[in-house]
């Protein structure tokens, strides 16, 4: 059956739900972070997802799920992903599997990014309004581990990475939460990340260069898991990062998770104490995983991430107001 173009729907349309760290420019929504999501519901058979891939040198990877089927991998090396389903109502979820960490994804024009340009509906298809996510709001700030790098294998590019296996993604899903999963390979508190990403002290509060991360609502909880990439880290540097998070979100619970390797744990503990902020919680991750749970002694495997998420969910239930939805 030939695709007959009908309505063009912009990314800003309320019938499209964007979750995660998205920056907005005329006609497009842009994310450079794995774990970001696009959701919508349509009635009909066919539609096209549009992406601006001009100038990209490395294609981002997406998971596309229709209804309750298994996700399908799409490497976005062209401007159109076409979906064709039997006549009926269909829920579509698109999740960023990986935005490559080794090329520029911070300073426009990007070499790798997901630049979503909207939908084109078949003349016989209709986009339906779906409810906005109603759960808690979580933000995660971390490095390649939070990004999901090397979770699938030792392959150093996107083939080995998957943001949906990350402890951050799993933890958010456990709480039925809207999640902002911000992970940049190699980044530390004061160390720049790969892909021209500045240090955590400079990148917090930005989607990417020139695009402030503006929130309509403050998150319920912010989880910080930075520090393992810093060659040195002093108390004041870490405390200053937390103060910047606190300045952005005066009433949010901030959870500082020590690196899973234990690196700089004493410094982070001392920094949290100096803040004297009852709404900043220290979570010691010592013993959550071992080198056997990692692909390269540092980056967790899929199983390693699942172990971390299990511990983190329990810690968040203990130290914050978050509660998992009742089963059933």
């Amino acid at each position: 059956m030939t695709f007959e173009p009908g309505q063009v729907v912009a990314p800003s349309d309320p019938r499209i739900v964007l979750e995660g760290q998205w920056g907005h420019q005329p006609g497009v929504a842009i994310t450079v972070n794995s774990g970001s999501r696009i959701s919508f519901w349509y009635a009909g058979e066919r539609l096209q997802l549009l992406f601006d891939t001009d100038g990209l040198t490395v294609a981002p990877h997406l998971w596309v799920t229709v209804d309750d089927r298994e996700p399908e991998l799409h490497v976005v090396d062209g401007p159109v992903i076409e979906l064709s389903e039997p006549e009926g109502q269909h829920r579509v979820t698109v999740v960023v599997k990986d935005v490559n960490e080794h090329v520029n994804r911070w300073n426009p024009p990007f070499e790798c990014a997901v630049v979503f340009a909207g939908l084109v509906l078949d003349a016989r298809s209709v986009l339906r309004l779906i409810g906005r996510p109603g759960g808690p709001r979580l933000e995660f700030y971390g490095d390649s581990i939070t990004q999901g790098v090397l979770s699938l294998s030792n392959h150093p590019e996107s083939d080995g990475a998957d943001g949906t296996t990350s402890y951050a993604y799993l933890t958010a899903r456990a709480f039925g939460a809207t999640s902002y999963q911000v992970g940049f390979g190699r980044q530390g508190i004061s160390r720049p990340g790969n892909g021209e990403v500045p240090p955590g002290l400079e990148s917090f509060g930005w989607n990417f260069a020139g695009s402030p991360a503006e929130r309509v609502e403050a998150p319920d909880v912010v989880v910080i898991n930075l520090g393992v990439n810093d060659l040195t880290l002093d108390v004041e540097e870490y405390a200053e990062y937390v103060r910047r998070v606190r300045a952005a979100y005066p009433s949010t619970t901030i959870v500082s998770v020590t690196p899973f390797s234990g690196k700089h744990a004493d410094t982070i503990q001392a920094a949290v104490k100096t803040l004297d902020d009852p709404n900043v919680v220290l979570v010691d991750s010592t013993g959550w995983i071992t080198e056997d749970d990692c692909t390269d002694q540092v980056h967790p495997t899929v199983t390693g991430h699942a172990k971390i998420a299990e511990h983190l969910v329990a810690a968040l239930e203990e130290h914050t107001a978050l509660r998992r939805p009742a089963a059933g």
Side-chain angles (χ1 to χ4, degrees):
M1 182 180 295
T2 303
F3 184 85
E4 299 179 18
Q7 182 185 16
V8 178
V9 183
S12 58
D13 191 286
R15 292 171 294 178
I16 299 174
V17 175
L18 300 178
E19 298 179 61
Q21 191 95 325
W22 292 89
H24 296 271
Q25 295 180 357
V28 295
I30 304 169
T31 186
V32 297
N33 289 117
S34 304
S36 297
R37 295 159 59 93
I38 305 165
S39 300
F40 56 89
W41 191 290
Y42 78 98
E45 295 180 350
R46 298 160 67 92
L47 59 76
Q48 295 176 334
L49 294 95
L50 302 181
F51 299 90
D52 185 348
T53 57
D54 288 350
L56 300 186
T57 61
V58 178
H61 288 199
L62 304 179
W63 290 117
V64 179
T65 303
V66 180
D67 301 326
D68 295 322
R69 297 205 302 269
E70 287 297 309
E72 292 187 4
L73 176 64
H74 289 264
V75 177
V76 188
D77 52 8
V80 176
I81 294 176
E82 187 164 319
L83 300 183
S84 180
E85 298 295 329
E87 177 70 32
Q89 296 195 42
H90 304 286
R91 183 182 180 95
V92 179
T93 303
V94 180
V95 188
V96 180
K97 173 181 176 284
D98 191 60
V99 174
N100 192 284
E101 68 166 321
H102 299 297
V103 297
N104 171 31
R105 58 168 170 166
W106 187 261
N107 296 299
F110 305 105
E111 293 180 273
C112 191
V114 176
V115 185
F116 176 52
L119 306 173
V120 179
L121 303 179
D122 182 88
R124 293 175 294 277
S125 296
V126 178
L127 201 62
R128 302 294 191 192
L129 188 67
I130 62 174
R132 307 295 297 184
R137 301 170 69 83
L138 301 183
E139 293 189 8
F140 297 85
Y141 293 92
D143 43 45
S144 57
I145 294 176
T146 300
Q147 181 181 338
V149 169
L150 299 179
S151 65
L152 301 182
S153 71
N154 277 315
H155 195 291
E157 306 295 335
S158 292
D159 286 351
D162 188 350
T164 70
T165 66
S166 164
Y167 76 90
Y169 192 88
L170 299 177
T171 299
R173 301 275 76 78
F175 287 110
T178 299
S179 173
Y180 297 79
Q181 181 177 332
V182 183
F184 293 115
R186 191 178 176 270
Q187 190 189 57
I189 296 291
S190 60
R191 184 179 185 179
N194 292 328
E196 301 187 17
V197 177
L201 281 167
E202 299 174 27
S203 67
F204 175 77
W206 297 88
N207 301 309
F208 46 81
S211 176
E214 299 173 350
R215 303 281 190 261
V216 176
E217 298 177 48
D220 296 279
V221 174
V222 170
V223 177
I224 301 169
N225 183 225
L226 281 166
V228 73
N229 290 316
D230 289 290
L231 300 179
T232 62
L233 181 65
D234 63 43
V235 168
E236 179 54 29
E237 283 177 323
Y238 192 91
E240 175 59 22
Y241 184 88
V242 179
R243 281 194 289 266
R244 294 188 186 188
V245 177
R246 170 59 70 228
Y249 306 130
S251 60
T252 292
T253 300
I254 300 171
V255 178
S256 288
V257 179
T258 60
F260 306 117
S261 68
K263 188 176 180 180
H264 300 310
D266 291 343
T267 298
I268 293 171
Q269 181 178 8
V272 169
K273 286 183 178 178
T274 66
L275 292 165
D276 193 25
D277 183 334
N279 236 9
V280 176
V281 176
L282 177 75
V283 172
D284 185 353
S285 67
T286 301
W288 285 8
I289 58 172
T290 68
E291 290 183 355
D292 291 338
D293 297 310
C294 301
T295 52
D296 61 350
Q297 300 182 334
V298 175
H299 294 86
T301 61
V302 172
T303 301
H305 276 289
K307 288 182 179 180
I308 293 169
E310 183 179 356
H311 286 289
L312 184 55
V313 166
L316 293 178
E317 287 194 313
E318 178 182 355
H319 296 292
T320 76
L322 294 177
R323 296 293 180 268
R324 280 170 283 192

